[in-house]
């Protein structure tokens, strides 16, 4: 098994709920862009490749967070998370290891959480794994749907879910570990047959099962650590979380 690691950070969104002209991942968190916190965290994994997909205010994001170890891929127009991953194909050309996918608006994730997730994925010989968490109020997050034996069946976006699926408290954090060759094979099979007419990355779970690949799901212990920042209020709460974490050290 190839033990090389690539990290792919999706950071193309505008973040309209922030009510600001600034790209969401550039909003300051303890004096640094939100994306800078994510980059610092994943560098602790010592990835062989580090790719950031940019879109809204791409030049500003590259200027703020550019570094010799970061390759940028442009998503323009933005047609969903699956489409975003597709834009990283050339940056990951020839790479055959594991691709860790996460988002530029999840600045609280700890290196130990990512390392543990990757370790579990490798231990089980996984080809596709995702990280989930239980929420008392799962709201607009995609739901993790399991079979009666607890195996991962699919992920359904909230806007496309039926009432029974919406009642599921387990949500998809958007963090994936995927074998590179499998990833782009699945990306090529995505279709925009959903309410948003977008290419959902979440659909790779169901597509993998159709190909005979057993996807794994692992639960994170700390919900706050793995949730995205979508509003000014959530950004302020994240600052408090990081301050408390710093005081604990």
């Amino acid at each position: 098994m190839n033990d090389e690691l690539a990290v792919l950070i999706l950071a193309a969104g505008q973040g309209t709920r922030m009510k600001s002209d600034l790209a969401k991942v550039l909003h300051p968190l303890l004096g640094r862009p939100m994306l800078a916190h994510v980059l610092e965290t994943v560098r602790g994994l010592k990835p062989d490749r580090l790719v950031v997909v940019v879109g809204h205010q791409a030049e500003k994001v590259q200027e703020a967070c550019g570094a010799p170890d970061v390759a940028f891929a442009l998503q323009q127009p933005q047609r969903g998370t699956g489409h975003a991953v597709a834009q990283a194909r050339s940056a990951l050309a020839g790479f055959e290891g594991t691709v860790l996918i996460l988002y530029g608006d999840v600045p609280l994730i700890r290196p130990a959480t990512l390392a543990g997730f990757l370790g579990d994925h490798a231990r089980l010989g996984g080809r596709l794994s995702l990280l989930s968490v239980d929420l008392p109020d799962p709201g607009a997050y995609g739901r993790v749907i399991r079979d009666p034996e607890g195996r991962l069946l699919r992920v359904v976006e909230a806007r496309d879910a039926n009432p029974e699926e919406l009642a599921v408290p387990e949500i998809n954090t958007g963090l994936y570990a995927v074998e590179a060759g499998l990833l782009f094979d699945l990306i090529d099979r995505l279709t925009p047959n959903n309410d948003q007419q977008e290419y959902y990355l979440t659909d790779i779970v169901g597509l993998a099962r159709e190909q005979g690949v057993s996807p794994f799901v692992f639960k994170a212990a700390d919900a706050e650590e793995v949730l995205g920042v979508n509003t000014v209020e959530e950004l302020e709460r994240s600052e408090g979380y990081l301050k408390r974490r710093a005081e604990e050290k």
Side-chain angles (χ1 to χ4, degrees):
M1 185 175 177
N2 191 317
D3 60 359
E4 286 192 316
L5 175 67
V7 175
L8 176 56
I9 302 173
L10 307 186
Q14 181 176 353
T16 53
R17 290 167 61 192
M18 299 296 288
K19 295 182 171 57
S20 166
D21 292 332
L22 191 65
K24 181 161 67 165
V25 297
L26 292 183
H27 278 78
L29 183 62
L30 296 184
R32 291 190 298 156
M34 203 187 312
L35 177 59
H37 290 268
V38 181
L39 285 167
E40 179 183 11
T41 296
V42 299
R43 284 186 175 113
L45 301 172
K46 296 181 169 52
D48 298 283
R49 299 199 197 184
L50 178 50
V51 182
V52 178
V53 178
V54 293
H56 184 65
Q57 296 183 349
E59 292 184 2
K60 288 186 177 180
V61 176
Q62 290 178 244
E63 183 180 340
C65 297
D69 63 336
V70 180
F72 288 95
L74 179 64
Q75 184 191 21
Q76 193 65 39
Q78 281 114 56
R79 299 195 62 196
T81 49
H83 179 253
V85 171
Q87 310 316 304
R89 189 188 303 268
S90 60
L92 293 174
F95 182 80
E96 297 180 352
T98 298
V99 182
L100 174 66
I101 304 172
L102 70 166
Y103 290 82
D105 64 353
V106 186
L108 305 182
I109 191 76
R110 295 176 187 261
T113 299
L114 295 177
F117 172 55
L118 290 169
D120 288 338
H121 171 76
R123 176 175 50 82
L124 294 179
R127 300 186 66 196
L128 166 61
S129 298
L130 68 84
L131 191 67
S132 72
V133 74
D134 285 336
L135 291 182
D137 180 14
Y141 285 98
R143 304 305 201 271
V144 170
I145 308 301
R146 299 175 181 252
D147 69 13
E149 284 73 46
R151 293 176 298 226
L152 177 60
L153 279 178
R154 65 187 182 278
V155 175
V156 60
E157 295 297 340
R159 66 174 63 244
D160 301 306
N162 61 40
E164 183 180 354
E165 291 166 336
L166 285 173
V168 173
E170 186 178 10
I171 64 103
N172 172 34
T173 67
L175 274 74
Y176 298 83
V178 196
E179 181 185 282
L182 175 65
L183 173 62
F184 289 105
D185 180 43
L186 297 174
I187 289 295
D188 287 340
R189 297 168 186 263
L190 292 176
T191 58
N193 298 329
N194 51 67
D195 184 64
Q196 292 283 81
Q197 293 292 293
E198 291 185 345
Y199 295 88
Y200 288 162
L201 180 59
T202 49
D203 288 345
I204 67 173
V205 173
L207 291 171
R209 286 187 60 91
E210 290 175 8
Q211 291 185 217
V213 175
S214 297
F216 295 115
V217 57
F218 302 99
K219 277 191 184 181
D222 181 357
E224 193 159 11
E225 180 186 347
V226 295
L227 297 184
V229 173
N230 296 297
T231 65
V232 173
E233 291 75 21
E234 289 172 356
L235 185 67
E236 292 172 350
R237 193 167 69 236
S238 296
E239 286 218 335
Y241 182 96
L242 288 178
K243 287 176 180 176
R244 290 194 303 275
R245 183 189 293 180
E247 291 169 358
E248 292 169 2
K249 291 182 177 179

